[in-house]
Amino acid sequence: MAEMIDMGGGDDEGPALAGEINVTPFVDVMLVLLIVFMVAAPLMMAGVPVQLPKSEAARVSAPREPLVVSIDREGRIFLRQDPVEPDGLRDALRRLALTEKDAVVYVRADRTIPYGRAMEVLGIVSASGFGRVSLLSEASTASTPPPAAR
């Protein structure tokens, strides 16, 4: 005689409910919402059409080329891309300070030049009227050893 297995349904209430969730309808709804948002997002960025008033205010200036002072391995100084004599750096920076006083001056120096030379150039930049100076460096990697001391 065949045995009946009780599925835990109790007294003739029918078979027990399975503990599984059908996620297919949920995924379908999420995909539809994704498509709706992908179509609607560019439309929300367009904004409300308005007629702007005319103004005589000055236009926002175009972005300027960064002000970079570089010192190469041989100790030559460059202002942006142009070579500058060491004695002419102060005058060149003072001329630029008249129009770009609020600019940040980025100083790049080869790692092999003496520290004193880099500090000398930083002093010239500061004395030329620029209050914001930033030193540029290269990102360090763990596999790159530090340069040997001389």
Side-chain angles (χ1 to χ4, degrees), residues 3-4 9 20 26 33 39 59-60 86 132 139:
E3 261 182 57
M4 297 269 310
E20 299 173 10
F26 176 72
L33 287 174
V39 169
R59 292 187 180 267
V60 176
R132 297 169 46 192

Side-chain angles (χ1 to χ4, degrees), residues 31 39 41 57 67 72 74 83 85 108 150:
L31 288 174
V39 169
L67 191 51
D72 70 359
E74 286 81 30
E85 293 298 321
R108 300 173 57 230
R150 292 185 184 203

Side-chain angles (χ1 to χ4, degrees), residues 4 8 13 47 54 83 86 111 113 116 128:
M4 297 269 310
E13 291 180 17
K54 302 220 182 296
R111 72 169 90 181
I113 67 162
S128 299

